[in-house]
Amino acid sequence: MRIPELKIGDLVAKIPIVQGGMGVGISLSGLAAAVANCGGIGVISGVEPGFNLSYYKENKHKANLDGLTYHIRKAKELAPKGIIGVNIMTALTTFEDMVKVAVKEKIDIIFSGAGLPMKLPELVKGSFTKIAPIVSSGKVANLICKQWDRKHNYIPDAIVVEGPEAGGHLGFSLDDLYNKNITLKSIVADVLKAIEPFEQKYNKKIPIIAGGGLFSGDDVYDIIKAGASAAQIGTRFVATYECDASDAFKKAYVDATKEDVTIIKSPVGLPGRALKNTFVERVHSQEKRDPISCINCLKTCNPKETPYCIADALIQAQQGNLERGFAFTGSQVYKIDKITSVKNVIDELLERFSRE
């Protein structure tokens, strides 16, 4: 099979690889630009992008808007001909402001999950920015398309389908996570069926970008053969020179075993896939919760009940302080055995297409 291009309206990525948005601070301008320069779509995480600015603790809102502005501009500078996206979670308390900044900076595409981004079409109206919701079922895809069609006369420019093997927060119940009948391929099939009436109504193809546990070139090849237009890859890109995480964070990926991968209950009320470490074991086993200083980043977080601040834990991990935080990861992380370049990862992922 010839390597297919990924077409999202007038955006054309030369290769069908979208780098997953990983926060806090794992995919910023460095990683996004590297992927974009290789012909894929590089994605900046919109979760606390201003965490390393000097005034972050004093004015978190301004710091994050400034941080997002900086990284969009920097990624565009590093990859002037590439496609740059940003992942902005609907659950963010600053969701609308972050979207407005991204649009103002002429971001190519916004990916949005962790909730239903029902107002997203309104927020990008009049711009060239494409929008792609992240879903975990055909039912949710249908609901978003139906609402966008009815309220905004618009349908998604693309849809990201995340399966149960993904890293980070997961849009599945614990039962569904362990249900062998729920696979990325089966969800892709359900979403393709769900969006067909809307594609026909608008005479427009909605490309499906599928991710969650994809690791090898065979995985990418197979999911595209199954109907996806592209693959979303996150975990593989963490163990690269260009990734924005600390060396200690990357080393945790290289050293991970299959037994280290665990499902945690996140303070935001969703299950999440992460690497087991002493921090995870301690906060989930202690009976008495330590008081936390809430930075009010997510709508769904209840500081009175949560055992820790997830934003702080992820920031600490990004900086290499894994005794005070943890790393989210996809299910196949244990297969990583070295740190390499983004180009090498992409070349390996695409090699399968040259075998026919």
Side-chain angles (χ1 to χ4, degrees):
M1 182 196 297
R2 185 178 176 185
I3 298 174
E5 295 180 331
L6 170 59
K7 297 180 180 180
I8 304 175
D10 58 358
L11 292 178
V12 181
K14 295 298 182 184
I15 61 172
I17 301 291
V18 177
Q19 165 246 312
M22 297 172 285
V24 171
I26 308 305
S27 63
L28 296 172
S29 49
L31 179 57
V35 174
N37 277 328
C38 288
I41 297 180
V43 182
I44 297 164
S45 168
V47 182
E48 306 301 301
F51 73 93
N52 56 0
L53 294 176
S54 61
Y55 49 93
Y56 173 72
K57 290 184 178 180
E58 287 71 39
N59 193 339
K60 187 182 77 71
H61 183 257
K62 182 179 187 306
N64 283 328
L65 296 181
D66 290 349
L68 183 60
T69 300
Y70 169 82
H71 283 292
I72 291 174
R73 292 179 181 179
K74 186 66 176 178
K76 285 176 170 286
E77 176 189 329
L78 293 172
K81 296 181 180 179
I83 299 174
I84 302 294
V86 63
N87 184 307
I88 306 177
M89 297 196 306
T90 309
L92 290 177
T93 54
T94 56
F95 173 73
E96 291 191 23
D97 287 343
M98 296 291 275
V99 169
K100 289 174 183 176
V101 165
V103 172
K104 180 182 177 183
E105 294 300 320
K106 296 181 172 57
I107 198 73
D108 293 309
I109 184 167
I110 293 172
F111 301 96
S112 188
L116 301 176
M118 294 308 191
K119 291 185 66 176
L120 196 51
E122 174 186 325
L123 297 172
V124 302
K125 189 175 181 180
S127 75
F128 293 102
T129 297
K130 306 294 187 291
I131 48 178
I134 301 170
V135 307
S136 54
S137 70
K139 181 179 179 181
V140 173
N142 176 271
L143 177 61
I144 291 172
C145 286
K146 189 177 293 183
Q147 289 292 315
W148 284 15
D149 172 36
R150 185 169 65 86
K151 292 187 176 181
H152 306 287
N153 193 33
Y154 200 93
I155 57 172
D157 296 295
I159 292 177
V160 174
V161 177
E162 285 191 355
E165 300 296 319
H169 290 120
L170 303 165
F172 298 88
S173 67
L174 286 176
D175 288 342
D176 285 346
L177 282 178
Y178 296 109
N179 184 339
K180 298 299 183 183
N181 294 320
I182 300 177
T183 66
L184 181 58
K185 284 185 180 179
S186 70
I187 302 169
V188 166
D190 287 344
V191 171
L192 287 169
K193 186 176 180 181
I195 65 176
E196 189 175 354
F198 301 97
E199 291 180 313
Q200 292 177 351
K201 178 177 179 179
Y202 284 80
N203 191 27
K204 170 185 172 182
K205 177 177 172 57
I206 304 175
I208 299 299
I209 301 161
L214 301 181
F215 187 87
S216 67
D218 284 339
D219 293 338
V220 173
Y221 181 89
D222 289 346
I223 202 64
I224 289 177
K225 288 279 283 186
S229 295
Q232 177 179 270
I233 305 289
T235 297
R236 285 295 304 271
F237 286 126
V238 172
T240 61
Y241 306 124
E242 299 92 339
C243 176
D244 298 277
S246 64
D247 289 344
F249 190 101
K250 298 174 188 181
K251 188 174 186 298
Y253 270 46
V254 174
D255 294 343
T257 66
K258 191 172 185 177
E259 291 68 35
D260 291 328
V261 182
T262 189
I263 299 296
I264 66 170
K265 182 180 179 182
S266 168
V268 304
L270 294 170
R273 181 171 282 106
L275 286 179
K276 190 186 304 178
N277 67 1
T278 55
F279 176 87
V280 168
E281 292 173 347
R282 176 173 59 81
V283 298
H284 286 91
S285 64
Q286 62 186 15
E287 294 182 9
K288 184 178 180 181
R289 292 168 177 158
D290 299 326
I292 69 167
S293 176
C294 181
I295 60 174
N296 191 36
C297 58
L298 296 173
K299 301 170 186 174
T300 53
C301 187
N302 184 346
K304 292 181 179 179
E305 297 182 0
T306 181
Y308 61 96
C309 173
I310 190 167
D312 181 67
L314 295 176
I315 289 169
Q316 293 295 335
Q318 193 274 353
Q319 296 174 334
N321 304 320
L322 287 161
E323 70 283 354
R324 297 174 61 188
F326 67 92
F328 275 138
T329 183
S331 64
Q332 307 300 310
V333 63
Y334 62 92
K335 295 179 179 179
I336 293 175
D337 59 6
K338 66 180 181 296
I339 296 175
T340 185
S341 68
V342 164
K343 184 179 185 304
N344 284 343
V345 170
I346 289 178
D347 285 347
E348 184 181 325
L349 292 172
L350 297 179
E351 186 273 334
R352 173 66 181 84
F353 288 89
S354 64
R355 286 190 233 154
E356 288 190 359

